[in-house]
Amino acid sequence: MTFQIVLNTVIAIMWAVLWNSYTGVDFLLGYIVGIFILFVLRRFLHFDFYMRRVFAAFKLIALFIKELIMSNIDVVKVLLSPKFDIEPGIIEVPTQLKSDWELTLLASLISLTPGTLSMDFAEDKKSIFVHSIHVPDKEQMIREIHDTFEKAIMEVTH
């Protein structure tokens, strides 16, 4: 992936030199041309196109912002309800993530979302313990974490 970014930058610089115009717009245009060239070359050189991961990272950020807003609304609903009817709980969420970086990112995203807190990892690092302010259905919460954060992290890192 690093090689592709460097190659794309070199293509952008060559574009600006060939056009004899050294503005940011020309560099950006050359970078876009480089993205297109690398996209076409991926079929012949058999490499994983790096912009797929960049797009997946933007999707992960958008997903986090959406989940942040939705969980803020849920916490406000719980706090403003006339009956303080909550079911706090600790759940063990099994995970397919392998590296320490991936697990740390998952734990951080869970902890930064209001109403939930990552507490600990299992000894074998195959699950994470999460405390939530309101857990009516543990299986649904596990599914939500798998379908949102874990899936998005795997798209970025794999």
Side-chain angles (χ1 to χ4, degrees):
M1 185 167 117
T2 306
F3 174 73
Q4 291 179 51
I5 295 171
V6 170
L7 183 61
N8 201 356
T9 305
V10 168
I11 291 171
I13 291 170
M14 286 176 32
W15 178 269
V17 168
L18 289 173
W19 283 98
N20 198 20
S21 178
Y22 305 102
T23 65
V25 173
D26 287 318
F27 180 80
L28 182 63
L29 186 61
Y31 201 83
I32 292 169
V33 168
I35 289 171
F36 178 73
I37 291 170
L38 287 173
F39 182 74
V40 171
L41 286 178
R42 74 177 164 74
R43 298 183 83 188
F44 304 109
L45 299 178
H46 304 291
F47 57 80
D48 190 26
F49 186 51
Y50 83 98
M51 287 303 288
R52 181 191 62 78
R53 284 188 178 183
V54 172
F55 181 67
F58 281 118
K59 279 181 23 183
L60 176 62
I61 292 168
L63 172 72
F64 173 68
I65 291 170
K66 179 189 137 246
E67 291 295 323
L68 182 68
I69 291 169
M70 297 305 292
S71 61
N72 270 309
I73 292 169
D74 290 342
V75 169
V76 168
K77 282 180 186 177
V78 166
L79 292 176
L80 294 179
S81 66
K83 295 168 73 180
F84 204 61
D85 189 22
I86 62 170
E87 298 175 35
I90 298 173
I91 59 170
E92 181 178 5
V93 180
T95 181
Q96 296 176 356
L97 302 175
K98 302 287 184 219
S99 72
D100 289 343
W101 185 85
E102 293 170 330
L103 291 169
T104 302
L105 181 59
L106 177 63
S108 298
L109 291 174
I110 290 171
S111 293
L112 288 171
T113 307
T116 56
L117 178 68
S118 302
M119 295 176 50
D120 199 8
F121 297 104
E123 290 293 324
D124 59 359
K125 295 184 182 181
K126 294 189 187 245
S127 61
I128 183 171
F129 295 97
V130 177
H131 178 272
S132 180
I133 195 169
H134 186 59
V135 188
D137 184 9
K138 291 184 179 186
E139 293 301 319
Q140 179 185 356
M141 185 171 180
I142 292 170
R143 235 182 351 269
E144 286 176 3
I145 291 173
H146 283 275
D147 293 342
T148 56
F149 292 137
E150 185 177 30
K151 182 180 172 186
I153 291 170
M154 290 177 75
E155 284 180 13
V156 172
T157 59
H158 294 115

